Amino acid sequence: MNRFVLSGCGTALITPFKGGEVDYKAFAALVDRQVSAGIHFLVPLGSTGETPCLDDEEKVRILDLTKEHAEGLTVLAGVGTNSLKQTVRNMRLLDNADMFLVVVPYYNKPTAKGQYEYFKAVASETDKPVVLYNVPGRTGVNMTAETALKLAEIDNIVAIKEASGDFGQITSIIRNAPEGFAVLSGNDDDTLRLMQEGAAGVISVASNIAPELMVKLVESAASGDFYSAGQMHERLMPLFRNCFIESNPMPVKAGLAAMGFIENELRLPLVPCERSTYDIMTETVKALY
């Protein structure tokens, strides 16, 4: 198959709740706001979307709403679990997606060989493009550059969202990946530096709050205008930092609630952030807008 080139700024969408239920009206409005801001692609049902706390019906409706409001943008749906059988089941359930984001299996702590065999098996179960997701802070295990590059040779594994924060590891993937394999920053504050090294973009949490500013940063960097990208990076750094002073997506939901877009509600085991964090996010948003 021809590789599907994934690039630019994609938003790891939050899932709004109201009274314990998914607030689909608010979700659709958030997607509309992303599209209006010029976002390049959309990523529902990831960790930012509290997906482990969603049931199958909710997942399907969220994906369908994303596709309905995406106006033709690529939709990359999170389907990864720590079970091959369940990940494949999610791919069947969410077949309306354009691409699948698959996280390194969490809790199990697979070896490099186990990671390779797992992702090879996942890729063999679909004709759609698969994006690897390395986030050792959440999964408890790192995917090395060697493993990522070996997986990059599989035709329909087309990209990696790299959130290890290991600059040497990530740049090794960028420099040695086969043609058409994209490396996307998984951390907002790494985006500029990684794009200077050849990364294709970012899957962003901060763009839930400031999509148009993240688009400007990424488009400037992609065009080689690193001066403008650097200015935008400095403007956004307080947001990048403050979105993670408590567990994601607690701060970003506080920011969106302060802007009036959603209720500040999460599903257990996550809870609304501390009042001090809410106040910080409120001031952070005010400073941007």
Side-chain angles (χ1 to χ4, degrees):
M1 65 176 288
N2 293 324
R3 285 197 182 268
F4 186 108
V5 179
L6 186 67
S7 63
C9 181
T11 299
L13 294 163
I14 64 104
T15 301
F17 301 111
K18 187 175 183 179
E21 302 298 325
V22 175
D23 188 344
Y24 295 108
K25 182 178 180 181
F27 181 81
L30 290 174
V31 174
D32 289 342
R33 180 171 178 257
Q34 293 290 322
V35 173
S36 295
I39 208 72
H40 302 114
F41 60 98
L42 293 163
V43 190
L45 303 173
S47 51
T48 303
E50 299 174 73
T51 306
C53 298
L54 300 173
D55 64 30
D56 285 354
E57 182 180 348
E58 290 169 333
K59 291 176 188 177
V60 170
R61 190 167 176 193
I62 285 168
L63 176 59
D64 288 347
L65 264 179
T66 306
K67 290 283 289 184
E68 181 183 334
H69 288 258
E71 296 188 9
L73 295 179
T74 296
V75 175
L76 169 63
V79 297
T81 72
N82 60 348
S83 158
L84 174 61
K85 184 176 181 180
Q86 184 61 39
T87 298
V88 172
R89 181 178 180 276
N90 281 343
M91 289 194 296
R92 303 285 184 267
L93 181 73
L94 301 171
D95 190 55
N96 196 26
D98 300 306
M99 309 174 73
F100 296 126
L101 179 67
V102 185
V103 70
V104 172
Y106 43 85
Y107 190 75
N108 309 42
K109 299 190 77 172
T111 62
K113 182 178 180 181
Q115 291 174 30
Y116 177 79
E117 293 298 335
Y118 168 80
F119 281 104
K120 180 182 176 183
V122 168
S124 73
E125 292 286 344
T126 180
D127 292 330
K128 293 190 176 185
V130 171
V131 177
L132 311 173
Y133 180 17
N134 186 35
V135 56
R138 282 188 179 262
T139 64
V141 64
N142 178 53
M143 175 184 284
T144 65
E146 181 181 11
T147 301
L149 290 168
K150 188 177 178 183
L151 286 166
E153 298 294 336
I154 297 172
D155 281 349
N156 64 325
I157 296 181
V158 300
I160 185 169
K161 176 186 178 183
E162 240 292 358
S164 68
D166 185 331
F167 187 72
Q169 172 173 295
I170 302 170
T171 54
S172 177
I173 301 170
I174 293 170
R175 292 167 184 165
N176 295 292
E179 184 177 357
F181 183 84
V183 177
L184 298 158
S185 176
N187 294 324
D188 284 299
D189 56 354
D190 289 338
T191 303
L192 176 59
R193 186 163 68 144
L194 290 176
M195 290 192 73
Q196 288 172 324
E197 296 295 326
V202 60
I203 295 178
S204 172
V205 172
S207 58
N208 279 282
I209 287 175
E212 70 285 356
L213 301 182
M214 281 302 300
V215 166
K216 287 179 183 178
L217 189 162
V218 170
E219 289 184 348
S220 294
S223 69
D225 183 1
F226 291 110
Y227 176 77
S228 296
Q231 288 185 312
M232 194 59 61
H233 173 84
E234 290 303 316
R235 181 177 173 185
L236 285 162
M237 265 305 296
L239 178 64
F240 296 163
R241 179 177 61 249
N242 294 336
C243 277
F244 290 90
I245 54 178
E246 291 190 53
S247 296
N248 179 48
M250 293 159 64
V252 73
K253 278 197 158 183
L256 288 167
M259 298 171 81
F261 291 122
I262 65 169
E263 301 294 324
N264 189 27
E265 187 175 326
L266 296 95
R267 277 188 177 168
L268 291 172
L270 295 181
V271 294
C273 63
E274 298 293 332
R275 182 69 208 190
S276 58
T277 299
Y278 189 93
D279 291 342
I280 288 169
M281 291 304 298
T282 300
E283 292 305 312
T284 302
V285 169
K286 284 181 179 177
L288 283 174
Y289 291 102

